[in-house]
Amino acid sequence: MEIAFCRIDDRLIHGQVATVWTKVTGCNRIMCCSDEVAQDAMRKKLLLQVAPPGIKAYVVPVEKACEAYKNPKYAPFKTLFLFTKPADVVRAVKGGIPFKSVNLGGMTYKDGDTLISSAVAVNQEDVKALLELRDMGIEVEIRKLANEPKGDLMSALQAKGLV
């Protein structure tokens, strides 16, 4: 399986992903990787329905995504991997998916979070996972829209006193 792109966006498949990121990445598959979402029948059904025409979508637990990545029968797939949180990307890398770059595109603000860009709010667990990805040699860039310049994770975290 070829990795077309890896994005963290807690909305998973939505308008921007369906209309722009799929075209920019040239993917023919979308894999939403989340243990929680894979167990939520309603959310899973909705995500599968909003996949763009001609692109097959899956909603799977992180472990199953790792298994699929390693399975030769999926070799023809050029996959856009979507995650809801950085810790799941760490699990995927440790499970054998060799991401070289991760796009931090959208994480909704919740009480106690710190906003590090117009679309990304993080908590301490997120910061720990993002730093772990960086320490693994994986580029983590902040970018909501495909036509925006890549934002630097470390600069954003430092500006908010998180590192």
Side-chain angles (χ1 to χ4, degrees):
M1 178 181 303
E2 182 182 345
I3 298 168
F5 198 63
C6 176
R7 179 176 170 91
I8 300 169
D9 187 327
D10 55 17
R11 297 171 293 170
L12 298 170
I13 304 173
H14 56 86
Q16 195 62 221
V17 168
T19 60
V20 178
W21 287 105
T22 54
K23 287 181 180 66
V24 168
T25 63
C27 69
N28 59 15
R29 296 289 187 267
I30 296 174
M31 192 170 297
C32 300
C33 309
S34 168
D35 297 356
E36 295 85 7
V37 179
Q39 292 175 2
D40 182 337
M42 177 62 78
R43 188 164 179 203
K44 183 176 178 177
K45 182 177 181 179
L46 290 171
L47 285 166
L48 296 175
Q49 289 176 343
V50 297
I55 296 180
K56 179 85 170 129
Y58 305 87
V59 179
V60 297
V62 174
E63 186 177 325
K64 189 166 182 182
C66 295
E67 291 168 9
Y69 177 78
K70 297 173 196 172
N71 189 330
K73 91 176 191 182
Y74 300 118
F77 294 177
K78 186 173 182 183
T79 305
L80 167 57
F81 288 87
L82 298 173
F83 293 86
T84 59
K85 59 187 177 187
D88 284 348
V89 180
V90 170
R91 288 177 51 216
V93 172
K94 288 180 176 178
I97 304 178
F99 296 122
K100 294 187 179 7
S101 178
V102 176
N103 166 257
L104 192 50
M107 293 173 58
T108 307
Y109 179 86
K110 295 173 267 334
D111 272 348
D113 286 357
T114 302
L115 206 56
I116 62 169
S117 80
S118 64
V120 177
V122 295
N123 59 36
Q124 282 304 313
E125 180 186 333
D126 299 327
V127 172
K128 180 179 178 242
L130 290 166
L131 293 175
E132 189 171 353
L133 289 169
R134 181 208 58 182
D135 292 346
M136 292 173 172
I138 299 167
E139 173 196 37
V140 181
E141 49 102 352
I142 302 172
R143 186 166 41 131
K144 182 170 65 172
L145 305 173
N147 63 355
E148 293 177 342
K150 293 180 179 183
D152 180 61
L153 171 69
M154 291 310 295
S155 297
L157 294 176
Q158 289 167 350
K160 298 296 182 170
L162 296 173
V163 290

